[in-house]
Amino acid sequence: MDWGMSNRISRIIKPSSGKSVMLAVDHGYFMGPTHNLEQPRKTIEPLIPYADALMLTRGVLRTSVDPKRDVPIILRVSGGASIVSKTLSNEAITTSVRDAIRLNVSALALSIFVGSEHEHQTLTNLSRLVDEGEDYGIPVLAVTAVGKELEKRDARYLALSCRIAAELGARLVKTYYCEEFSRVVQGCPVPLVVAGGPKLETERDAFQLAYDAIAEGAVGVDMGRNIWQSEHPVAMIQAVREIVHERATVREAKQAYDEYLKTGPKLLAKPTVPAN
């Protein structure tokens, strides 16, 4: 791995802990103005100090993130379908690597839809993006998307999807947590990050998801709705950091969350420090 590739990955996955708390705010590219993300800048700004990386589109990066903020960017570069279309899997590459370079991103993100009618298209999209990214030392994060077919989120399917993504050259893979998640980890030779998915019923449920994912081998989480749709998003992301970076239990994370609401931030996990 060349220096540029290694440096970009180490900005996302912190060498001090070998883990990462990513903040997903790319939902608008297919969902439109999602609840609590109607005004992206308002949602993102208070959370940036506690995110190891932001996953978003170039439009939101340009309009809603202060250029002076030194936060690693994972740029969503696939799209072309929306929630009102027949299927979400009909995606293409929507942003050039040249534009990504101009935006100084740390990684590129693209969805693959294994088993869908557009499987071949999305897998060749990934291969083409990896080829271009490798030319410039930019890693690709593959997202094992399931579209509207949530029943696909089992270990057998996710292990297949993650392994294919790694075989095609993805340096990182974002997937879902599932029963027997350790099987998915064992079958994937590159680091796995777990998606937060739809908003869970309680904060404790989200903490449990993060805890289980890390305990079974994920290098981090990429949470969106379970953070910024929370009533207290800053407390939420800091509590998730406790689990990911400080190995806190679910109970300890909930205590930290409750303590923050009473007295302000007195948590163990430190805010993100820009890389040299």
Side-chain angles (χ1 to χ4, degrees):
M1 188 184 302
D2 64 36
W3 181 87
M5 185 77 70
S6 178
N7 185 56
R8 284 184 169 94
I9 291 176
S10 68
R11 292 202 72 211
I12 297 168
I13 302 175
K14 302 305 175 185
S16 57
S17 65
K19 300 291 187 289
S20 182
V21 176
M22 303 177 187
L23 181 66
V25 287
D26 60 332
H27 301 65
Y29 92 94
F30 70 100
M31 296 178 69
T34 312
H35 175 60
N36 278 11
L37 197 59
E38 296 93 342
Q39 300 177 59
R41 181 180 287 271
K42 183 177 179 181
T43 298
I44 295 168
E45 189 66 26
L47 298 172
I48 287 178
Y50 308 100
D52 294 319
L54 298 180
M55 183 169 170
L56 39 55
T57 62
R58 62 179 168 184
V60 169
L61 176 59
R62 287 169 173 161
T63 62
S64 306
V65 178
D66 188 337
K68 295 178 183 178
R69 289 285 200 174
D70 187 18
V71 58
I73 298 299
I74 302 170
L75 190 69
R76 159 69 69 175
V77 300
S78 69
S82 76
I83 53 172
V84 298
S85 64
K86 178 183 176 182
T87 176
L88 292 174
S89 66
N90 191 14
E91 286 199 347
I93 296 173
T94 56
T95 305
S96 70
V97 173
R98 287 197 305 172
D99 206 17
I101 293 168
R102 282 193 289 268
L103 294 168
N104 194 30
V105 305
S106 294
L108 307 168
L110 173 144
S111 290
I112 59 172
F113 292 82
V114 172
S116 75
E117 62 180 304
H118 298 104
E119 174 187 86
H120 175 77
Q121 172 182 316
T122 61
L123 292 179
T124 53
N125 285 344
L126 173 60
S127 295
R128 191 160 60 253
L129 185 67
V130 167
D131 284 344
E132 293 188 53
E134 294 286 325
D135 284 343
Y136 298 98
I138 304 176
V140 172
L141 180 150
V143 182
T144 61
V146 296
K148 301 174 183 178
E149 303 170 64
L150 299 181
E151 69 274 6
K152 287 184 176 179
R153 286 160 49 168
D154 60 40
R156 184 177 180 182
Y157 172 79
L158 295 175
L160 171 67
S161 299
C162 292
R163 181 56 175 265
I164 289 172
E167 295 271 355
L168 293 177
R171 299 281 188 165
L172 305 163
V173 176
K174 174 180 171 179
T175 193
Y176 291 98
Y177 181 77
C178 62
E179 291 185 13
E180 300 183 285
F181 182 69
S182 59
R183 285 180 52 196
V184 183
V185 175
Q186 291 164 10
C188 184
V190 302
L192 287 178
V193 175
V194 167
K199 178 71 167 65
L200 296 171
E201 188 171 341
T202 68
E203 289 83 9
R204 184 178 289 274
D205 290 337
F207 299 149
Q208 189 71 58
L209 170 64
Y211 179 86
D212 290 343
I214 297 299
E216 294 190 47
V219 301
V221 295
D222 188 23
M223 283 192 169
R225 285 166 285 183
N226 280 293
I227 290 175
W228 41 261
Q229 286 184 344
S230 166
E231 291 184 12
H232 306 285
V234 173
M236 193 67 191
I237 193 171
Q238 291 197 68
V240 170
R241 287 185 67 83
E242 294 293 315
I243 294 169
V244 174
H245 287 299
E246 305 296 334
R247 301 185 180 181
T249 65
V250 173
R251 183 176 65 85
E252 290 169 339
K254 184 61 166 64
Q255 288 175 338
Y257 175 84
D258 292 339
E259 186 66 20
Y260 177 88
L261 298 186
K262 294 177 184 176
T263 63
K266 291 184 179 180
L267 306 184
L268 298 173
K270 304 300 188 292
T272 299
V273 176
N276 293 328

